Amino acid sequence: MITPDLHKKPVGLDREKHKNLKLRRELSNLRAAAGLNALFLTGAEFGDACKEYPILFLNAGQDEQGKTQVAPVAVFGVTQGENLFLQPDGRWDAYYVPAMLRAYPFTMARLDADRFVVVFDESYDGLSETEGQAFFDEQGEPTEMLKELRQFIENIEVEIERTRRAGQRLDRKSTRLNSSHTDISRMPSSA
């Protein structure tokens, strides 16, 4: 899932175009969250995340079928652009770092119903053609590092889909619950 406030310049990873691309892992990827006051969480993260951050469920519009989408987010700050967890030296001031931020600069994007592509933020300064760990080997095959990253972001994408479905169920349940409540203001008062 591409998050525009995080993935500022998303590009699909291409074996030919990016054959010399490398990742400098010694650089902190957490600085990318400097202006984020909230970030999407998957349901699988709730147990760890709720110990560190308030979790809000936001209306995220509707999907292609017109179903309401709910997005759970970890709150990092109260005002727009405020992140109280990112310290000036680049450290994260919480034990738990949300999965989407740990995966940065990588994520996945859906090409169609059954196909995804690995995407990276081209603006991330930890990418290089001269220094770091290679994405592809001399034969153009993914390196172990890239395979591990891909597996991690695939797992996140699976959890995102589970979280979307759970959000839809919660929305349906709350809609039914709200429509079945009796309006106590219309009930006769006992004197």
Side-chain angles (χ1 to χ4, degrees):
M1 176 170 91
I2 296 173
T3 304
D5 290 336
L6 184 61
H7 305 99
K8 299 197 177 15
K9 200 171 175 187
V11 175
L13 184 61
D14 181 282
R15 173 182 316 252
E16 287 301 315
K17 185 177 177 184
H18 304 115
K19 65 183 175 187
N20 297 321
L21 198 58
K22 297 178 177 159
L23 178 66
R24 295 179 56 203
R25 291 190 121 170
E26 76 278 4
L27 297 180
S28 172
N29 61 347
L30 299 176
R31 291 185 191 275
L36 295 179
N37 70 337
L39 185 63
F40 181 85
L41 286 175
T42 67
E45 297 179 274
F46 289 178
D48 291 323
C50 74
K51 298 171 189 170
E52 304 281 350
Y53 320 101
I55 299 174
L56 296 180
F57 292 81
L58 305 177
N59 182 333
Q62 296 181 335
D63 66 9
E64 301 82 34
Q65 291 83 33
K67 295 179 182 174
T68 299
Q69 297 290 298
V70 177
V73 297
V75 177
F76 304 146
V78 179
T79 61
Q80 185 70 23
E82 177 183 51
N83 186 328
L84 300 173
F85 292 91
L86 183 65
Q87 299 305 301
D89 63 0
R91 283 182 310 104
W92 194 257
D93 195 19
Y95 290 110
Y96 186 75
V97 177
M100 288 185 69
L101 189 52
R102 284 182 280 138
Y104 181 84
F106 301 95
T107 191
M108 294 204 98
R110 186 180 294 272
L111 291 176
D112 56 40
D114 299 320
R115 295 184 313 147
F116 291 87
V117 64
V118 173
V119 173
F120 65 94
D121 182 359
E122 195 173 50
S123 69
Y124 177 56
D125 60 2
L127 299 172
S128 171
E129 289 200 354
T130 58
E131 299 176 61
Q133 291 182 282
F135 289 177
F136 300 101
D137 64 20
E138 295 78 28
Q139 291 77 38
E141 296 300 317
T143 60
E144 280 304 310
M145 179 207 58
L146 184 57
K147 289 176 188 176
E148 289 172 12
L149 285 168
R150 182 182 174 100
Q151 184 63 56
F152 183 62
I153 59 177
E154 282 178 2
N155 291 343
I156 293 172
E157 196 61 38
V158 166
E159 292 303 325
I160 288 170
E161 188 56 35
R162 285 182 181 150
T163 303
R164 283 184 183 138
R165 287 194 311 263
Q168 289 171 343
R169 288 190 64 165
L170 285 172
D171 183 66
R172 283 194 308 269
K173 297 279 186 195
S174 71
T175 301
R176 277 190 239 147
L177 184 63
N178 288 337
S179 66
S180 68
H181 277 165
T182 304
D183 185 354
I184 61 171
S185 66
R186 296 182 185 198
M187 295 182 78
S189 61
S190 56

